[in-house]
């Protein structure tokens, strides 16, 4: 039998993250800010969804955005055209945001004058699901070209999210994607998740999603 000492490094990292998650929650509460963590694969439509969401909510709430990317500031430039307060966060090669990076981002963004902050997480269906950043709401996007089998391959993301946007439904005819099959794959993982088929490109399906966002934000006392 081997007597080599083995430690579970990943468990330690996630445990450390959880201590910072509490700090994020306390900071958000103190500042009266509602944080949304928006997660999806690269190219699923996070930035397009974000811009449409800001335009739908900006008369009601003062909105800030944290654009997390491994590199570049193309999304931040695009989003800033909405008039939202935007900060670009470079994760330095990391495939996800963690709670410590989130506190840093919120403090550098300056949230005292804001009601809602949306984090566009790094494009990835795996790591962002593992790291709770302390957000009030987790929204994930699965786009039609990715396929209806993704809950089977990346179950954690579907388990931890509160809302699932099925984006690019304008392209349904071109892809072999079955929304009923997707729902059958998601429900055993998370029976409470709200599922909205949408097109961030043309706005189809957004009204119901925005209504739920407003409900959730108001439920937190905003
Ligand atoms: N047909 C169609 N295209 C869309 C839709 N939403 C986004 N797109 C397109 O998909 C591409 C990627 O969209 P983005 O919003 O940049 O996706 P993202 O998830 O922010 O991408 P990264 O930040 O690079 O991971 C762009 O060409 C968008 O125009 C949609 O509902 N329908
Ligand atoms: Mg983007």
């Amino acid at each position: 039998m081997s007597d080599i000492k083995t430690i579970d490094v990943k468990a330690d990292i996630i445990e450390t993250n959880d201590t910072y998650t509490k700090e994020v929650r306390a900071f958000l509460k103190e500042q009266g800010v509602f944080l949304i963590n928006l997660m999806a694969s690269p190219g699923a439509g996070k930035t397009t969804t974000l811009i449409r969401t800001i335009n739908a909510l900006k008369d009601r709430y003062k909105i800030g955005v944290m654009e997390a990317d491994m590199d570049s500031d193309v999304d931040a430039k695009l989003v800033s055209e909405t008039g939202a307060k935007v900060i670009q966060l470079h994760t330095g090669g990391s495939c996800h945001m963690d709670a410590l990076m989130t506190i840093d981002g919120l403090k550098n963004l300056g949230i005292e004058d804001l009601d809602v902050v949306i984090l566009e997480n790094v494009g990835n269906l795996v790591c962002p699901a593992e790291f709770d950043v302390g957000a009030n709401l987790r929204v994930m996007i699965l786009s039609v070209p990715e396929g209806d089998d993704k809950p089977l391959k990346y179950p954690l993301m579907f388990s931890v999210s509160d809302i699932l946007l099925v984006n690019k439904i304008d392209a349904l005819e071109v892809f072999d994607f079955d929304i009923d099959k997707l729902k059958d794959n998601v429900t055993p993982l998370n029976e409470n998740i709200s599922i909205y088929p949408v097109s961030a490109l043309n706005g189809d399906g957004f009204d119901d999603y925005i209504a739920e966002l407003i409900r959730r934000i108001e439920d937190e006392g905003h």
Side-chain angles (χ1 to χ4, degrees):
M1 200 177 89
S2 164
D3 58 359
I4 294 174
K5 187 176 176 187
T6 307
I7 57 162
D8 192 344
V9 180
K10 191 158 183 201
D12 284 351
I13 293 171
I14 291 177
E15 210 171 288
T16 306
N17 185 66
D18 287 346
T19 64
Y20 290 115
T21 298
K22 292 191 190 96
E23 269 187 46
V24 174
R25 292 215 169 93
F27 185 53
L28 292 171
K29 201 161 186 188
E30 177 196 303
Q31 300 286 326
V33 169
F34 188 92
L35 177 64
I36 300 169
N37 183 6
L38 181 61
M39 303 174 287
S41 301
K46 294 180 293 300
T47 306
T48 314
T49 296
L50 186 55
I51 290 171
R52 194 168 277 288
T53 305
I54 294 167
N55 286 331
L57 293 179
K58 68 183 180 188
D59 291 340
R60 191 183 276 260
Y61 304 114
K62 284 182 242 106
I63 302 175
V65 173
M66 299 197 292
E67 276 294 341
D69 270 305
M70 297 213 272
D71 207 343
S72 105
D73 59 2
V74 285
D75 286 352
K77 281 191 178 140
L78 212 57
V79 172
S80 68
E81 287 169 16
T82 63
K85 190 176 184 185
V86 182
I87 191 169
Q88 177 72 56
L89 310 173
H90 282 162
T91 60
S94 175
C95 56
H96 62 274
M97 283 289 289
D98 63 25
L100 185 57
M101 295 178 201
T102 302
I103 296 181
D104 205 16
L106 290 168
K107 289 192 171 158
N108 277 286
L109 176 65
I111 62 170
E112 54 289 337
D113 54 342
L114 300 177
D115 305 307
V116 175
V117 174
I118 307 174
L119 165 66
E120 179 177 340
N121 214 316
V122 182
N124 186 332
L125 274 187
V126 182
C127 316
E130 291 179 338
F131 287 82
D132 182 1
V133 300
N136 301 84
L137 191 69
R138 286 192 253 200
V139 178
M140 72 160 294
I141 302 171
L142 176 73
S143 63
V144 163
E146 292 171 76
D148 51 35
D149 59 351
K150 289 302 159 293
L152 305 175
K153 297 184 178 178
Y154 306 99
L156 187 62
M157 179 60 84
F158 294 83
S159 304
V160 301
S161 296
D162 303 296
I163 294 178
L164 164 60
L165 298 177
V166 184
N167 190 33
K168 309 195 185 182
I169 52 159
D170 54 284
L172 266 176
E173 273 180 24
V174 190
F175 293 94
D176 175 24
F177 186 100
D178 183 337
I179 290 206
D180 291 333
K181 205 188 275 178
L182 172 79
K183 287 181 179 168
D184 289 346
N185 288 335
V186 173
T187 309
L189 298 170
N190 185 345
E191 58 183 22
N192 297 318
I193 196 167
S194 308
I195 303 177
Y196 297 103
V198 298
S199 168
L201 198 64
N202 66 23
D204 282 355
F206 260 71
D207 288 352
D208 289 345
Y209 165 57
I210 296 297
E212 173 160 353
L213 277 188
I214 292 171
R215 230 172 21 247
R216 298 260 194 174
I217 294 167
E218 283 177 356
D219 282 353
E220 287 287 326
H222 299 278

